[in-house]
Amino acid sequence: MKYSHLKRSVFFSCSLAIACSSAASAVTATVGTGVGYETYNHADNEHSWSAVFVQPSLELFHEVLPEDGGTVLSFSGHLSTRVYESRHDQRRAGAGAALEVPLAEGLLGRLGLDIVDFRDEEEVIDSFRGVQGAVSLYWQAADRVRLGVSHFRGEDRFQDVSGEESAISGRGSGWRNTSINSVSTPGAKEVYQTTEASVLWYLNASLDVNVHLASTRVSSSFPGEGYTGSEAGMGLHWFLSEYLIVSLGAIKATRRFVDGNELEPYREGALSTTVGIGWYRGPVELRLQWFHHDLDSQPPHSSYRREVTQCVLYWSF
């Protein structure tokens, strides 16, 4: 939920993936290689850039399915490397586990745990190791309506790069935006917790809408980067045919930074939008996606826009 940690999820590519599965053990492995394009426009044009990259990846998923349709246990893992044609590389690895338990008729509980390791060779200050736990409750309130509430709590520990200066005043090329001159402290970490409420509404057999509201609080070792935030988001999936689906999404977020190291409190706002098209035919799946993130900061020099384009081709067997 923290849009200051876009690096957790903003990976995009044009890739060919091969998935191998076994119905008996519910194991799936996906190997992919991708090509993508990323643009970053900073308020200070000197630090704006765009680059093409390739991204090989590996994903694993294992699900323990009970014969009676009860509790489900699942495990997952992923590894990817993004190699830029004109910038330093990024690497990401992670693993997770989830437990889903039917609690009553129409009521489902879920516990989840995820760990991630992210390394950015160019913006070293953005490198971190993180762990996140989540507890969720879902209620099928009606045939076409599902309500959900989730609470996430996590901690990110950042690589100690004390004394190194980022290319931009502040820590990192747009992942964090602050006017602080010192870019790191030994043993720096951020602890966050987010509470989210959601509604999934199946309007008809070919159209569904998901709306969510969330509130986040972050405590940071970095001076002036602790904040409270809120966001509202909506996603739409429209099945145009048996083989074609259109997806639209938007998230509007705001956050208020607390004072620290003699800094005055200030606010930031962000708008993220996504447009995607998916085509399915037998074992082949083609996805096209465009993502845009616009951050408007009260310190104007910290504002930026990041845009990504995604084209993914999967082949499953």
Side-chain angles (χ1 to χ4, degrees):
M1 296 293 104
K2 300 192 302 177
Y3 60 77
S4 62
H5 284 284
L6 284 175
K7 58 185 175 297
R8 283 180 172 273
S9 57
V10 182
F11 268 61
F12 57 99
S13 62
C14 176
S15 63
L16 172 64
I18 302 176
C20 308
S21 62
S22 171
S25 59
V27 175
T28 302
T30 303
V31 179
T33 181
V35 177
Y37 186 72
E38 179 175 355
T39 61
Y40 172 75
N41 296 306
H42 194 266
D44 182 353
N45 288 329
E46 180 182 350
H47 302 299
S48 299
W49 54 268
S50 60
V52 175
F53 65 86
V54 296
Q55 182 176 320
S57 63
L58 170 66
E59 296 184 7
L60 300 172
F61 182 79
H62 175 68
E63 195 171 57
V64 181
L65 300 172
E67 295 181 358
D68 59 0
T71 301
V72 175
L73 178 63
S74 60
F75 303 92
S76 62
H78 68 269
L79 175 65
S80 63
T81 299
R82 180 175 294 183
V83 182
Y84 290 95
E85 45 88 17
S86 59
R87 299 176 63 83
H88 291 81
D89 301 345
Q90 294 177 351
R91 297 186 298 274
R92 178 186 176 94
L99 181 68
E100 295 185 353
V101 183
L103 302 176
E105 184 67 28
L107 196 63
L108 178 69
R110 185 180 190 277
L111 298 175
L113 180 67
D114 293 282
I115 59 174
V116 63
D117 183 277
F118 178 86
R119 291 290 177 264
D120 189 327
E121 294 181 359
E122 182 146 357
E123 299 295 342
V124 182
I125 190 62
D126 280 328
S127 300
F128 74 98
R129 290 192 176 106
V131 59
Q132 176 183 273
V135 55
S136 305
L137 188 64
Y138 301 101
W139 177 39
Q140 196 69 37
D143 289 342
R144 295 184 177 181
V145 178
R146 190 188 74 170
L147 306 179
V149 59
S150 302
H151 184 75
F152 307 86
R153 184 177 178 85
E155 178 177 302
D156 295 337
R157 291 186 175 272
F158 294 87
Q159 186 168 329
D160 183 9
V161 291
S162 300
E164 294 189 19
E165 289 294 331
S166 175
I168 302 175
S169 177
R171 299 185 289 116
S173 177
W175 299 120
R176 293 176 175 73
N177 297 274
T178 167
S179 59
I180 304 171
N181 291 324
S182 59
V183 297
S184 183
T185 57
K189 67 178 181 179
E190 288 186 346
V191 178
Y192 62 92
Q193 54 183 340
T194 297
T195 301
E196 177 183 292
S198 63
V199 179
L200 176 59
W201 184 15
Y202 299 94
L203 298 176
N204 53 51
S206 61
L207 183 65
D208 66 71
V209 176
N210 191 318
V211 178
H212 78 267
L213 299 173
S215 175
T216 298
R217 179 179 293 274
V218 176
S219 174
S220 178
S221 298
F222 295 98
E225 288 212 6
Y227 68 86
T228 58
S230 61
E231 71 174 46
M234 183 184 72
L236 180 147
H237 297 92
W238 183 17
F239 293 86
L240 298 179
S241 69
E242 181 181 357
Y243 308 111
L244 190 64
I245 179 176
V246 173
S247 301
L248 304 174
I251 296 177
K252 176 64 176 178
T254 61
R255 58 184 179 179
R256 182 179 185 275
F257 288 83
V258 300
D259 57 334
N261 199 26
E262 300 181 352
L263 292 177
E264 293 295 328
Y266 66 95
R267 295 180 180 272
E268 285 186 346
L271 177 62
S272 301
T273 54
T274 304
V275 179
I277 300 176
W279 180 78
Y280 306 81
R281 188 74 175 187
V284 177
E285 175 185 349
L286 176 65
R287 295 181 189 176
L288 304 175
Q289 188 178 60
W290 173 82
F291 173 81
H292 181 86
H293 180 78
D294 191 344
L295 185 138
D296 183 15
S297 180
Q298 198 174 63
H301 70 273
S302 293
S303 300
Y304 71 90
R305 291 182 179 180
R306 185 180 295 271
E307 189 170 303
V308 300
T309 303
Q310 179 174 336
C311 168
V312 185
L313 178 64
Y314 292 102
W315 178 32
S316 301
F317 62 92

